[in-house]
């Protein structure tokens, strides 16, 4: 297969602190021989494991970019054994636009894997991570939150995998990240995900959903900051003790955990995030936007559980995910 058009401006395997860019040629109206310049850092001290830490895979999710900017500025080679590769905004064009997907090609970075070296900008970035970055890593963390259209209880997540030893290693890393909730995550649509790419290579992989609404809070950033540090200690890269607090395990036993709107309208949540709900309990009402006097459509819970996600904007459309119901696990 052809070589990736992405070129790192710094070495990936040199001791010390290196801050640079992943440079991807992008010829366009305002810069004929221009490039997309994705900021990244490599902090290395001798042999040891490699952690690949990314945020901004969706450009409207901010805990990752903020916590990784801080870590890139503060982590010293003397603190670690091995290597930490930090990419605060994997979909840098989307991050600059404050959008979930790329303004250049409409691509969704977390549905673009394995990518193509001769594809769109999004596919070229995905291909570079698929073939050049993921193979370097022992542990992979991709920090997400809900973006503008979803909000979540703050959780770290692992997936159910065929390889149970790998699954156990991912679960241990998720527990080390130690968000307030720890979810065995069922994906609605896992084709093309970075998660799937990393897991298919046998990597220890952790993802998160730390909040949402297109912003970040002091609390959600603090969860990212602590989780990053804990994960590096867990991986044997950073010296020190993990800071572990109680976490609520959550499972997602079926596709009916995703509660999907079938009507357009004005969204009235009747329960907030983290609420315990019973099967058949009303979760939300959808009111008409264009007339008064119409009864609202009610959305009820498909099972006993806990609300772990909700639609964020005030208006909904058919097909929107209204809420996600998780089940308390052990
Ligand atoms: Zn995301």
């Amino acid at each position: 297969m052809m070589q990736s058009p992405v070129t790192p401006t710094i070495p990936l395997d040199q001791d010390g602190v290196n801050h640079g860019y992943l440079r991807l040629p992008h010829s366009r109206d305002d810069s004929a021989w221009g490039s997309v310049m994705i900021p990244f850092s490599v902090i290395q001290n001798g042999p040891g494991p490699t952690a690949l830490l990314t945020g901004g895979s969706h450009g409207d999710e901010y805990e990752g970019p903020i916590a990784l900017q801080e870590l890139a500025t503060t982590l010293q080679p003397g603190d670690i054994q091995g290597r930490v590769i930090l990419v605060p905004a994997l979909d840098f064009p989307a991050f600059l636009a404050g959008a979930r997907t790329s303004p250049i090609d409409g691509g969704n970075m977390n549905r673009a894997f394995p990518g193509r070296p001769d594809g769109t900008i999004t596919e070229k970035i995905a291909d570079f991570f698929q073939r050049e970055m993921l193979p370097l890593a022992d542990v992979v963390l991709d920090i997400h939150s809900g973006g503008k259209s979803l909000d979540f209880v703050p959780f770290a997540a692992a997936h159910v995998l065929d390889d149970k030893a790998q699954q156990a290693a991912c679960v241990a890393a998720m527990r080390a990240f130690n968000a307030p909730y720890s979810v065995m995550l069922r994906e609605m649509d896992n084709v093309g995900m970075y998660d799937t790419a990393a897991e298919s290579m046998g990597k220890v992989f952790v993802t998160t959903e730390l909040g949402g609404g297109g912003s970040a809070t002091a609390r959600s950033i603090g969860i990212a900051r602590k989780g990053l540090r804990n994960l590096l200690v867990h991986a044997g890269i950073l010296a020190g003790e993990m800071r572990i607090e109680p976490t609520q395990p959550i499972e997602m036993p079926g596709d009916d955990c995703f509660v999907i709107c079938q009507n357009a309208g004005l969204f009235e949540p009747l329960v907030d995030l983290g609420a315990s709900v019973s099967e058949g309990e009303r979760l939300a009402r959808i009111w008409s936007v264009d007339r008064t006097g119409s009864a609202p459509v009610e959305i009820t819970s498909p099972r006993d559980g806990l609300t772990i996600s909700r639609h964020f904007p005030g208006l909904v459309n058919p097909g929107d995910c209204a809420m996600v119901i998780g089940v308390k696990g052990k």
Side-chain angles (χ1 to χ4, degrees):
M1 191 181 282
M2 70 184 284
Q3 195 179 340
S4 171
V6 176
T7 314
T9 66
I10 54 171
L12 298 176
D13 55 358
Q14 187 174 295
D15 279 357
V17 178
N18 283 287
H19 302 298
Y21 299 92
L22 300 171
R23 187 176 76 82
L24 169 57
H26 178 219
S27 179
R28 57 194 195 268
D29 284 349
D30 66 331
S31 188
W33 285 6
S35 296
V36 173
M37 301 287 275
I38 304 171
F40 87 118
S41 299
V42 180
I43 300 164
Q44 180 178 301
N45 184 26
T50 292
L52 176 58
L53 311 173
T54 51
S57 166
H58 296 127
D60 59 353
E61 304 172 0
Y62 296 101
E63 288 80 1
I66 293 166
L68 290 170
Q69 278 283 11
E70 181 184 61
L71 190 63
T73 309
T74 53
L75 191 65
Q76 298 298 318
D79 301 337
I80 67 169
Q81 193 67 47
R83 174 169 59 175
V84 181
I85 302 174
L86 305 100
V87 188
L90 180 56
D91 192 339
F92 190 62
F95 171 73
L96 289 184
R100 178 171 180 82
T101 56
S102 174
I104 298 173
D105 53 35
N108 179 336
M109 184 59 70
N110 211 22
R111 301 291 184 278
F113 282 79
R116 296 171 58 101
D118 58 353
T120 63
I121 291 291
T122 305
E123 288 170 332
K124 286 173 176 171
I125 296 169
D127 168 70
F128 181 75
F129 276 74
Q130 174 85 29
R131 291 193 294 145
E132 305 292 338
M133 297 294 261
L134 281 173
L136 302 176
D138 299 289
V139 58
V140 181
L141 169 68
D142 193 29
I143 302 177
H144 286 256
S145 57
K148 288 175 179 167
S149 73
L150 291 174
D151 197 10
F152 286 91
V153 295
F155 67 77
H159 297 103
V160 173
L161 301 175
D162 292 337
D163 180 338
K164 293 305 168 193
Q166 183 191 7
Q167 179 180 318
C170 295
V171 167
M174 165 184 76
R175 292 295 180 94
F177 188 94
N178 189 230
Y181 296 81
S182 298
V183 177
M184 290 309 293
L185 188 60
R186 173 180 288 264
E187 297 290 350
M188 187 184 271
D189 170 26
N190 75 353
V191 175
M193 290 183 72
Y194 182 60
D195 312 47
T196 312
E199 288 160 353
S200 300
M201 286 183 211
K203 305 299 179 185
V204 175
F205 179 81
V206 179
T207 188
T208 72
E209 299 289 357
L210 297 181
S215 189
T217 65
R219 178 181 182 230
S220 65
I221 295 160
I223 292 164
R225 178 186 295 126
K226 187 191 77 170
L228 277 167
R229 191 182 171 285
N230 274 0
L231 187 66
L232 291 176
V233 172
H234 173 76
I237 295 172
L238 182 64
E241 297 290 316
M242 289 193 280
R243 190 151 62 83
I244 298 293
E245 292 161 15
T247 184
Q248 172 63 57
I250 299 286
E251 290 169 9
M252 296 178 65
D255 286 337
D256 66 351
C257 291
F258 299 96
V259 182
I260 306 298
C261 293
Q262 298 190 8
N263 299 79
L266 174 60
F267 184 67
E268 179 195 0
L270 297 172
V271 292
D272 286 324
L273 284 176
S276 288
V277 295
S278 311
E279 183 178 342
E281 182 175 339
R282 294 184 313 162
L283 298 175
R285 298 193 287 186
I286 301 176
W287 293 93
S288 171
V289 291
D290 56 10
R291 71 193 63 214
T292 54
S294 285
V297 173
E298 293 187 346
I299 296 178
T300 58
S301 183
R303 52 171 71 241
D304 294 348
L306 197 84
T307 54
I308 62 170
S309 177
R310 58 157 283 194
H311 184 79
F312 192 78
L315 300 180
V316 288
N317 280 301
D320 286 348
C321 183
M323 289 197 185
V324 179
I325 307 300
V327 174
K328 285 186 182 179
K330 294 191 281 290

